[in-house]
Amino acid sequence: MAKSKFEYVKQFEQDDKLLSNCWIVVRIDGRAFHKFTDAYKFEKPNDERALRLMNHAAMAVLKDCPDVVIAYGQSDEYSFILRRDTDLYKRRSSKITSYITSLFTANYVHAWPQFLYTPLSRLPCFDGRCVCYPTDENVKDYLSWRQADCHVNNLYNTCFWNLVKQGKSHTEATARLAHTNSESKKNELLFQEFKTNYNTLPEIFRRGSIILWKNSLLEIQAASAAAAATALPSQQRMKLTRQLTVIHESVIPDKFWREYPGIVPSLS
Amino acid sequence: MAKSKFEYVKQFEQDDKLLSNCWIVVRIDGRAFHKFTDAYKFEKPNDERALRLMNHAAMAVLKDCPDVVIAYGQSDEYSFILRRDTDLYKRRSSKITSYITSLFTANYVHAWPQFLYTPLSRLPCFDGRCVCYPTDENVKDYLSWRQADCHVNNLYNTCFWNLVKQGKSHTEATARLAHTNSESKKNELLFQEFKTNYNTLPEIFRRGSIILWKNSLLEIQAASAAAAATALPSQQRMKLTRQLTVIHESVIPDKFWREYPGIVPSLS
Amino acid sequence: MAKSKFEYVKQFEQDDKLLSNCWIVVRIDGRAFHKFTDAYKFEKPNDERALRLMNHAAMAVLKDCPDVVIAYGQSDEYSFILRRDTDLYKRRSSKITSYITSLFTANYVHAWPQFLYTPLSRLPCFDGRCVCYPTDENVKDYLSWRQADCHVNNLYNTCFWNLVKQGKSHTEATARLAHTNSESKKNELLFQEFKTNYNTLPEIFRRGSIILWKNSLLEIQAASAAAAATALPSQQRMKLTRQLTVIHESVIPDKFWREYPGIVPSLS
Amino acid sequence: MAKSKFEYVKQFEQDDKLLSNCWIVVRIDGRAFHKFTDAYKFEKPNDERALRLMNHAAMAVLKDCPDVVIAYGQSDEYSFILRRDTDLYKRRSSKITSYITSLFTANYVHAWPQFLYTPLSRLPCFDGRCVCYPTDENVKDYLSWRQADCHVNNLYNTCFWNLVKQGKSHTEATARLAHTNSESKKNELLFQEFKTNYNTLPEIFRRGSIILWKNSLLEIQAASAAAAATALPSQQRMKLTRQLTVIHESVIPDKFWREYPGIVPSLS
């Protein structure tokens, strides 16, 4: 069989290596999640179980791919930030993007029963994109952009779904919110009409989720009574370890970047 | 919250629109499937259950994405061919590739228990790439290339695993095969030493799997006794329908393209 | 001197190889030619000397680069079509585009005195772009597009500059033409007010210029009296040769492509 | 004429916008300059008139394009560095590269008679490429790389052409230099055999040429006797101005970047 005769088609593949020494951001989005969340009757404006499933799938990405230093998720999207100097798949854009999207999807589907209980029939699906950021400031601003977006959307959606639960149609709720284009007006609406102080709503809804490796001191478990009896001073029984952690802090203030200096060293 | 201040980061996203009027091929590959297939003790050289799971996941892609006109799979890879004029995701390469990879992955993970029985712990993951082909001949040659590759690899692997099952180490089997660089010598080895006529092995192993929509005439089910009683001549009780079908034919002869004229009309 | 220490910067160069088996079109445009043509008082709407200089520079490109099979020029732009299978600069887009732009510029500047007489002080400058076309039909349509554009612009400009020469201001001429959006109205305006039959204006203005290699039979010059005396029959004293030719035909009818079958064989 | 029918071909143009917030380097090279320099009998290893013509053409680029902050040239190549935030041609790679190459070529051809005297018959031609650098350190290292390359090549070529002028063939000279792979050995060869102290050769040969805008204090010319009589203190008769300047310093030490703080502010 003339293998060589057809092999010329390999040359049509075009190089898509991402620029060296740039932060790489892969952002994935749920495909047609509007219909998907309707089909499974997700709670609106936020379904905490679904958000925790997103976080679970994202953590699997960080565990599998050590070059991801931080991830940020909200709603049906998740962003993964790869180190400037990553050489994953020789920085080939399509490979990196599809691998992360696939890994996330596999974990989302597999863990679904643990989080959402209903059996899956219609399957979820994600698509991804890949963006390069040349400076540390740019990548920090990227995360701030997504978190600011989470806030703006969540405030709006909280108002919207409260109005709907109150009995308004979607059209009525939209019309009502057209008159509250400032943030303070929406806060007021929630407070006046729904006795809700927006700032006391769960942080996971208001700020989204950040996943990172957190350093912590763990007490070493004495492996045996004998070892325990060696009576080390307590500080020597501790070891530094890192743990994958989900937090809901604001990434906008400099404080955040000083608190986690391992992510973008120049910002700490 | 100053949303606009950060929104400038959107401009870093670069356009990756694929050239118009070209066939688009997305090929996905199992990531680290060597370890994955070891972990689940896949049969070697081919695990038919695993191949059928691949086909199942690929069929789900064709069902979801009408612009895929044909798909071809072998081993842990699958290629999906999108029509020249597809406008899926406005032809954005990363979106198309990651969506297809994600859809495939979701179906692979979800249907695993139906095909492989063992519960999944270590999850499978795929990565994808995307290639454009300007002419009908080029895309036909692409499929011929993958199928020729399937043949060459499968013949080698069939020899290799027969030798290993016979008691040879991997190194010994490799060494033995170094002396059979022609196809006929490998056929002979199989026949002489293992009483195996390569050409009688299952086509799914030798040629891989092609998925396409096949036109067929279906007898219309009479919805009621009354309808049945209307006594149409038999040909009028048939309707033309198309069904997603897995076949194992050779795509290399022109005959194939004439038989399925809907895929690449100019070749029929 | 530590050369190697800095050599890492080479890896930032990104591959820009154009898709294989596509027609490559390089189109160059005069940069800020509005000011340039004002500075040198080019005749409006067309300066024949300037158009002939453009053609001269384009011919130099075809002479230097055998992979260019046809070129088309109008106003201050020129398009060069490279064969589908060209391997010029290994199909690197930036190299191909800048080389053709540079070659054209060098010839334009150098030949200026032969065509325009005035000494050059402010220098002309061009920029280029590069587009791939997958099919023969697409590349034919590209040329048709540029030639249709030439016609539309030239008809408009002919009206405009006639009105200006008649004494109207630019604003008045623009306003007058706002009411003649059909082609026939513009033809009528020229005929009624300026006794000009548009279709009798020079083809170089109405259709632009096409440059191609034309096959022709040349009489072999007898190198000596002795050779002449050998008395070959006349047809044997001819040889087939190809000459770079500027023509002003329409590329839109199929006839054109049949007449020059060497350019896009499938169209002939 | 059906313009719209063909206009679809515009959509084949693909976006080549360079990543935002990166330094853009355009490097142009003489095409086939080996033959070109032979044809015009350039002095070897360096023809100072030709280098000065290169500098002249490069200065024209900086004058025309204010976003170029520094340029570096050696032999038949020139690199132009555009500011991180340039929006020239909306950062379209092919446009930027071809425009700079064209501008350089126009000036090279036009000024040729002032520098080289011989009339031009065979015309020079350049090609260009475009590279992005994300950090200030990367772009500094780019320039260091080119200057280190200049040094290495010039030292080699100085030895080579001295040997050739001494009577050796090209092959003999190459063979002789194969044994002097260290820098010190080449320096020694020049000193021992040719009484040449490499470090005293002209800086333009050893280091290439840097073009930048230099701030300088100029004495204001008194426009009239009356103005002169106003007797300002001398420092008030000065004004800050910037002038395009060619220098031959080393860009490798930090000192250079502190001396010209306007180029890459973070390095100063």
Side-chain angles (χ1 to χ4, degrees):
Chain A
M1 195 170 289
K3 186 185 179 184
S4 56
K5 185 183 159 193
F6 303 121
E7 219 156 0
Y8 81 92
V9 299
K10 275 170 78 169
Q11 86 199 29
F12 287 75
E13 204 170 327
Q14 291 181 294
D15 189 19
D16 64 345
K17 187 176 171 286
L18 297 162
L19 186 62
S20 298
N21 199 22
C22 287
W23 294 97
I24 298 173
V25 175
V26 175
R27 180 163 84 250
I28 67 173
D29 285 276
R31 174 161 163 94
F33 254 47
H34 213 71
K35 286 182 187 172
F36 181 78
T37 59
D38 282 353
Y40 290 104
K41 301 191 172 42
F42 277 27
E43 279 174 41
K44 298 295 170 77
N46 294 287
D47 188 311
E48 193 169 340
R49 303 160 309 160
L51 292 176
R52 297 212 180 279
L53 172 56
M54 292 288 286
N55 290 351
H56 169 88
M59 288 173 88
V61 173
L62 276 95
K63 275 177 205 154
D64 197 74
C65 181
D67 286 353
V68 174
V69 293
I70 187 170
Y72 172 76
Q74 53 141 318
S75 181
D76 66 340
E77 72 167 55
Y78 236 102
S79 298
F80 299 91
I81 319 281
L82 287 91
R83 293 188 301 123
R84 303 181 84 101
D85 61 350
T86 183
D87 198 38
L88 181 64
Y89 284 113
K90 299 198 181 305
R91 300 180 79 87
R92 290 169 65 187
S93 174
S94 60
K95 289 279 189 172
I96 292 174
T97 310
S98 56
Y99 149 63
I100 287 183
T101 313
S102 173
L103 191 53
F104 186 92
T105 306
N107 282 278
Y108 190 95
V109 170
H110 188 249
W112 173 275
Q114 295 165 240
F115 288 84
L116 274 295
Y117 318 124
T118 351
L120 263 183
S121 46
R122 177 194 194 101
L123 297 192
C125 171
F126 297 84
D127 59 58
R129 80 190 74 196
C130 193
V131 192
C132 282
Y133 287 102
T135 69
D136 296 350
E137 203 62 28
N138 292 151
V139 82
K140 170 182 180 301
D141 287 349
Y142 171 82
L143 287 169
S144 301
W145 175 52
R146 297 321 302 146
Q147 199 171 49
D149 183 84
C150 173
H151 168 76
V152 168
N153 290 338
N154 189 59
L155 179 54
Y156 182 93
N157 291 338
T158 304
C159 294
F160 181 87
W161 288 103
N162 266 303
L163 291 165
V164 169
K165 284 171 190 167
Q166 198 190 44
K168 293 217 163 37
S169 71
H170 286 206
T171 318
E172 287 164 347
T174 305
R176 174 75 177 83
L177 287 167
H179 301 290
T180 60
N181 42 19
S182 81
E183 198 163 310
S184 58
K185 282 197 179 157
K186 289 198 195 70
N187 277 316
E188 212 177 288
L189 170 81
L190 287 176
F191 195 69
Q192 301 289 346
E193 298 193 25
F194 304 102
K195 308 299 166 221
T196 300
N197 179 347
Y198 182 75
N199 291 320
T200 60
L201 294 180
E203 287 185 322
I204 188 175
F205 298 164
R206 291 185 293 116
R207 287 189 183 154
S209 298
I210 296 153
I211 303 180
L212 43 71
W213 292 96
K214 209 169 180 171
N215 290 325
S216 54
L217 280 173
L218 277 197
E219 198 168 337
I220 295 171
Q221 302 293 323
S224 66
T230 56
L232 285 170
S234 72
Q235 85 196 85
Q236 288 174 261
R237 285 199 305 265
M238 307 297 280
K239 66 166 180 177
L240 190 65
T241 186
R242 44 178 236 148
Q243 282 189 290
L244 209 48
T245 314
V246 182
I247 58 177
H248 310 286
E249 300 177 23
S250 173
V251 301
I252 299 173
D254 293 344
K255 183 176 153 306
F256 176 87
W257 301 94
R258 282 194 303 267
E259 199 172 330
Y260 303 103
I263 304 168
V264 185
S266 81
L267 299 177
S268 68
Chain B
M1 197 171 285
K3 187 185 179 184
S4 57
K5 186 182 158 194
F6 303 121
E7 220 155 359
Y8 81 92
V9 299
K10 275 170 78 170
Q11 85 198 32
F12 287 74
E13 203 167 328
Q14 293 182 292
D15 189 19
D16 64 346
K17 185 175 172 287
L18 296 164
L19 186 62
S20 297
N21 198 21
C22 287
W23 294 96
I24 298 173
V25 175
V26 175
R27 180 163 85 249
I28 68 172
D29 285 275
R31 174 161 161 94
F33 254 46
H34 212 74
K35 285 183 187 170
F36 181 78
T37 57
D38 282 353
Y40 290 104
K41 300 191 172 43
F42 277 27
E43 277 173 43
K44 300 295 172 81
N46 294 287
D47 189 311
E48 194 170 338
R49 302 160 309 160
L51 292 177
R52 299 214 179 275
L53 173 55
M54 291 288 286
N55 290 351
H56 169 88
M59 287 173 88
V61 172
L62 276 94
K63 275 178 208 155
D64 196 73
C65 181
D67 287 353
V68 173
V69 293
I70 186 171
Y72 173 76
Q74 55 143 314
S75 182
D76 65 341
E77 73 168 55
Y78 236 102
S79 298
F80 300 91
I81 319 282
L82 288 90
R83 293 188 300 123
R84 301 181 85 102
D85 61 351
T86 182
D87 198 39
L88 180 65
Y89 285 115
K90 298 194 182 307
R91 300 180 80 87
R92 291 169 63 187
S93 172
S94 61
K95 290 277 187 172
I96 293 174
T97 311
S98 57
Y99 149 64
I100 287 182
T101 314
S102 174
L103 191 53
F104 186 93
T105 306
N107 282 280
Y108 190 96
V109 170
H110 188 249
W112 174 276
Q114 296 165 238
F115 289 84
L116 273 296
Y117 317 124
T118 351
L120 262 183
S121 47
R122 178 194 193 102
L123 296 193
C125 171
F126 296 84
D127 56 60
R129 82 190 73 196
C130 194
V131 191
C132 282
Y133 287 101
T135 69
D136 297 349
E137 201 63 28
N138 292 152
V139 82
K140 170 183 181 300
D141 287 349
Y142 172 81
L143 286 169
S144 301
W145 175 50
R146 297 323 302 147
Q147 198 171 51
D149 184 84
C150 172
H151 168 76
V152 169
N153 290 337
N154 189 59
L155 178 56
Y156 182 94
N157 291 337
T158 304
C159 294
F160 181 88
W161 289 103
N162 267 304
L163 291 165
V164 168
K165 283 171 190 167
Q166 196 189 47
K168 293 220 163 33
S169 71
H170 287 205
T171 318
E172 286 164 348
T174 306
R176 175 75 177 81
L177 287 166
H179 301 291
T180 59
N181 41 19
S182 81
E183 201 164 306
S184 58
K185 281 197 180 158
K186 290 198 196 71
N187 277 315
E188 210 177 290
L189 170 82
L190 287 176
F191 194 71
Q192 302 287 348
E193 298 194 25
F194 304 103
K195 310 296 168 224
T196 298
N197 179 347
Y198 181 75
N199 291 319
T200 62
L201 294 180
E203 286 185 323
I204 189 175
F205 299 164
R206 290 185 293 116
R207 288 192 181 149
S209 298
I210 296 153
I211 303 180
L212 41 73
W213 292 97
K214 209 169 178 170
N215 290 326
S216 51
L217 281 173
L218 276 198
E219 198 169 337
I220 294 172
Q221 302 293 323
S224 66
T230 55
L232 284 171
S234 71
Q235 86 197 82
Q236 286 174 265
R237 285 201 306 267
M238 307 297 279
K239 67 165 179 178
L240 189 65
T241 185
R242 43 178 238 150
Q243 281 189 291
L244 208 48
T245 315
V246 183
I247 56 177
H248 309 286
E249 300 176 24
S250 173
V251 300
I252 298 174
D254 293 342
K255 182 176 153 306
F256 176 86
W257 301 94
R258 283 195 303 267
E259 198 173 330
Y260 303 103
I263 303 169
V264 184
S266 81
L267 299 177
S268 68
Chain C
M1 193 171 289
K3 186 184 180 185
S4 57
K5 185 183 158 193
F6 303 121
E7 221 156 358
Y8 81 92
V9 299
K10 275 170 77 170
Q11 85 199 31
F12 288 75
E13 204 168 325
Q14 293 181 292
D15 189 18
D16 64 347
K17 187 176 171 288
L18 297 163
L19 186 62
S20 297
N21 198 22
C22 287
W23 293 97
I24 297 173
V25 175
V26 175
R27 180 163 85 250
I28 68 173
D29 286 275
R31 174 162 163 94
F33 255 46
H34 212 73
K35 286 183 187 172
F36 181 77
T37 58
D38 282 353
Y40 290 104
K41 300 193 173 40
F42 277 28
E43 277 174 42
K44 301 294 169 82
N46 294 286
D47 188 311
E48 193 169 341
R49 302 160 309 160
L51 292 176
R52 299 214 178 277
L53 172 54
M54 290 289 286
N55 290 350
H56 169 88
M59 288 173 88
V61 173
L62 276 94
K63 274 178 207 154
D64 197 74
C65 180
D67 286 353
V68 174
V69 292
I70 187 171
Y72 173 76
Q74 54 141 317
S75 180
D76 66 340
E77 72 167 54
Y78 237 102
S79 298
F80 300 91
I81 319 282
L82 288 90
R83 293 190 298 124
R84 301 181 85 102
D85 62 350
T86 182
D87 198 39
L88 181 64
Y89 285 115
K90 299 195 182 305
R91 298 179 81 88
R92 290 170 63 186
S93 173
S94 61
K95 289 278 187 173
I96 292 173
T97 310
S98 58
Y99 148 64
I100 286 182
T101 314
S102 174
L103 191 53
F104 186 94
T105 306
N107 283 279
Y108 190 96
V109 170
H110 188 248
W112 173 276
Q114 297 166 237
F115 289 83
L116 274 294
Y117 316 126
T118 352
L120 262 183
S121 47
R122 177 195 194 100
L123 296 191
C125 172
F126 297 84
D127 57 60
R129 81 190 73 195
C130 195
V131 191
C132 282
Y133 287 102
T135 68
D136 296 350
E137 202 62 27
N138 293 150
V139 82
K140 169 182 181 299
D141 287 348
Y142 172 82
L143 287 169
S144 301
W145 174 51
R146 297 322 302 146
Q147 199 171 49
D149 183 83
C150 173
H151 169 75
V152 169
N153 290 336
N154 190 59
L155 178 56
Y156 182 93
N157 291 337
T158 304
C159 294
F160 181 88
W161 289 102
N162 267 305
L163 291 164
V164 168
K165 283 170 192 167
Q166 196 190 46
K168 293 218 163 36
S169 71
H170 286 205
T171 317
E172 287 164 347
T174 305
R176 174 76 177 82
L177 287 167
H179 302 290
T180 60
N181 42 21
S182 80
E183 200 164 308
S184 58
K185 283 199 180 157
K186 290 197 195 69
N187 277 315
E188 210 177 290
L189 170 81
L190 287 175
F191 194 69
Q192 302 288 349
E193 298 193 26
F194 304 104
K195 308 299 165 221
T196 299
N197 179 346
Y198 182 75
N199 292 319
T200 61
L201 294 180
E203 287 186 323
I204 187 174
F205 299 164
R206 291 185 292 118
R207 288 190 182 151
S209 299
I210 296 153
I211 304 179
L212 43 72
W213 292 97
K214 210 169 178 170
N215 290 326
S216 53
L217 281 173
L218 277 198
E219 199 170 336
I220 295 170
Q221 301 293 324
S224 66
T230 56
L232 283 170
S234 71
Q235 84 195 85
Q236 287 174 263
R237 284 200 306 267
M238 308 296 279
K239 67 164 180 180
L240 189 66
T241 185
R242 43 179 237 148
Q243 281 189 292
L244 210 47
T245 316
V246 182
I247 58 177
H248 310 286
E249 300 177 24
S250 173
V251 300
I252 298 174
D254 293 343
K255 182 177 153 308
F256 177 87
W257 302 94
R258 283 196 300 268
E259 199 172 332
Y260 303 103
I263 303 169
V264 183
S266 80
L267 299 177
S268 69
Chain D
M1 194 171 286
K3 187 185 178 184
S4 57
K5 185 183 158 193
F6 304 121
E7 219 156 359
Y8 82 91
V9 299
K10 274 170 78 170
Q11 85 200 29
F12 289 74
E13 203 169 326
Q14 293 181 291
D15 189 20
D16 65 345
K17 187 176 171 285
L18 296 163
L19 186 63
S20 297
N21 198 22
C22 287
W23 294 96
I24 298 172
V25 175
V26 175
R27 179 163 85 249
I28 68 174
D29 286 275
R31 172 158 163 97
F33 254 47
H34 212 73
K35 286 182 186 172
F36 181 78
T37 59
D38 282 354
Y40 289 105
K41 300 193 172 40
F42 277 27
E43 278 174 42
K44 299 295 172 76
N46 295 287
D47 188 310
E48 193 169 339
R49 302 161 309 161
L51 292 176
R52 297 212 179 279
L53 172 55
M54 291 287 287
N55 290 349
H56 169 88
M59 288 173 89
V61 173
L62 276 94
K63 274 177 206 153
D64 196 75
C65 180
D67 286 354
V68 174
V69 294
I70 187 170
Y72 173 75
Q74 55 142 317
S75 181
D76 65 342
E77 72 167 56
Y78 236 102
S79 298
F80 300 91
I81 319 281
L82 287 90
R83 293 189 299 124
R84 303 182 84 102
D85 61 352
T86 183
D87 197 39
L88 181 65
Y89 285 114
K90 299 198 182 303
R91 299 180 81 88
R92 290 169 65 187
S93 174
S94 61
K95 288 278 187 173
I96 292 174
T97 310
S98 57
Y99 149 64
I100 287 182
T101 313
S102 173
L103 190 53
F104 187 94
T105 307
N107 282 280
Y108 191 96
V109 170
H110 188 249
W112 173 276
Q114 296 166 238
F115 289 85
L116 274 296
Y117 318 125
T118 353
L120 262 183
S121 46
R122 178 195 192 101
L123 296 191
C125 172
F126 296 84
D127 58 58
R129 81 190 74 195
C130 195
V131 193
C132 282
Y133 287 102
T135 69
D136 297 350
E137 202 64 28
N138 292 151
V139 81
K140 170 183 181 300
D141 287 349
Y142 172 82
L143 287 169
S144 300
W145 174 52
R146 298 321 303 147
Q147 199 171 51
D149 183 84
C150 173
H151 168 76
V152 168
N153 291 338
N154 189 59
L155 179 55
Y156 182 93
N157 291 337
T158 304
C159 294
F160 181 87
W161 289 103
N162 265 304
L163 292 164
V164 168
K165 284 170 190 168
Q166 197 189 45
K168 294 217 162 38
S169 72
H170 286 205
T171 316
E172 287 165 347
T174 305
R176 174 74 177 83
L177 286 167
H179 301 291
T180 61
N181 43 20
S182 81
E183 198 164 311
S184 58
K185 281 197 180 157
K186 290 197 195 69
N187 276 315
E188 211 177 291
L189 169 82
L190 287 175
F191 194 70
Q192 303 287 348
E193 298 194 26
F194 304 103
K195 307 299 165 223
T196 298
N197 179 347
Y198 182 75
N199 291 319
T200 62
L201 294 179
E203 286 186 323
I204 189 176
F205 299 164
R206 291 184 292 117
R207 286 189 183 153
S209 298
I210 296 153
I211 303 180
L212 43 73
W213 291 97
K214 208 170 179 168
N215 290 326
S216 54
L217 280 172
L218 277 197
E219 199 169 336
I220 295 170
Q221 301 292 323
S224 66
T230 55
L232 285 170
S234 69
Q235 84 198 83
Q236 288 173 260
R237 284 200 305 269
M238 310 296 280
K239 67 164 180 179
L240 190 65
T241 187
R242 44 178 236 148
Q243 282 190 290
L244 209 48
T245 315
V246 182
I247 58 177
H248 310 286
E249 300 176 25
S250 173
V251 301
I252 297 172
D254 294 343
K255 182 175 154 307
F256 176 87
W257 301 95
R258 282 195 302 268
E259 200 172 330
Y260 303 103
I263 302 168
V264 185
S266 80
L267 298 177
S268 69

